[in-house]
Amino acid sequence: LTVTMKNTSNNQGHDGGGTYQSYLRFLYPPETELVGVSIDGAVATPSSSVVTGTSDNIFSVGVPMYVPPKSEHKITLSTKRTLPANFISSGTYEYAIRKQPGVDSLPWHVIVEYPQDWRATADVDLAKPGWLQYNTDLSRDARLTVLFETDL
């Protein structure tokens, strides 16, 4: 998952501009393992600026972000499931994508990789076997539901 935050403010003045400060929190199922985090390509560790935890059956990753005027920062999270997807011949996986409050809309690009011998059905483009791609201009919260099927 990669999120790019861009600050188009002109200056540090008291005109409503200045450094954009945010705390990004990513929520995952409890069987998720954090593989790595990078901020602008530099590895970030849980002891430096990344906070992880599990509560109420949710695994969360929190990262504070400070974006000065006329700049942008990119955060990338890599995760994996610690348990395999558990279904006999089909199973549904749902992704919740939350809109940033106070912003009209934001471009979102979601890519889901899955085993190539699975079939996937969704209301989005299936770029190639094992690769689902979802691009949208997010103006409200969204849900992406994918039905996976296999002959196993």
Side-chain angles (χ1 to χ4, degrees):
L1 171 68
T2 300
V3 175
T4 301
M5 297 184 73
K6 186 175 188 176
N7 184 346
T8 59
S9 174
N10 288 322
N11 59 42
Q12 293 279 23
H14 298 287
D15 63 352
T19 299
Y20 180 72
Q21 299 179 27
S22 180
Y23 183 77
L24 299 175
R25 188 168 178 217
F26 303 91
L27 306 177
Y28 296 95
E31 64 276 0
T32 302
E33 177 184 326
L34 181 63
V35 175
V37 178
S38 67
I39 300 173
D40 296 329
V43 174
T45 62
S47 62
S48 63
S49 59
V50 178
V51 178
T52 62
T54 302
S55 177
D56 295 327
N57 210 26
I58 295 172
F59 174 71
S60 66
V61 179
V63 183
M65 294 293 293
Y66 303 93
V67 186
K70 296 292 186 192
S71 66
E72 70 179 37
H73 289 300
K74 184 180 291 189
I75 178 172
T76 301
L77 277 75
S78 298
T79 60
K80 70 178 184 178
R81 291 177 54 96
T82 57
L83 300 173
N86 187 13
F87 58 87
I88 302 301
S89 62
S90 68
T92 301
Y93 204 85
E94 185 172 80
Y95 302 86
I97 305 169
R98 302 285 173 103
K99 179 192 162 293
Q100 171 73 32
V103 176
D104 288 335
S105 65
L106 289 171
W108 272 87
H109 311 285
V110 178
I111 296 173
V112 179
E113 293 182 66
Y114 56 92
Q116 289 188 12
D117 59 345
W118 290 11
R119 292 179 304 282
T121 306
D123 294 331
V124 298
D125 295 334
L126 300 175
K128 60 185 177 183
W131 186 274
L132 179 140
Q133 184 171 332
Y134 176 55
N135 300 310
T136 188
D137 194 23
L138 193 66
S139 58
R140 64 175 193 250
D141 291 351
R143 291 198 180 278
L144 172 60
T145 304
V146 183
L147 172 64
F148 293 109
E149 297 177 290
T150 182
D151 294 328
L152 297 177

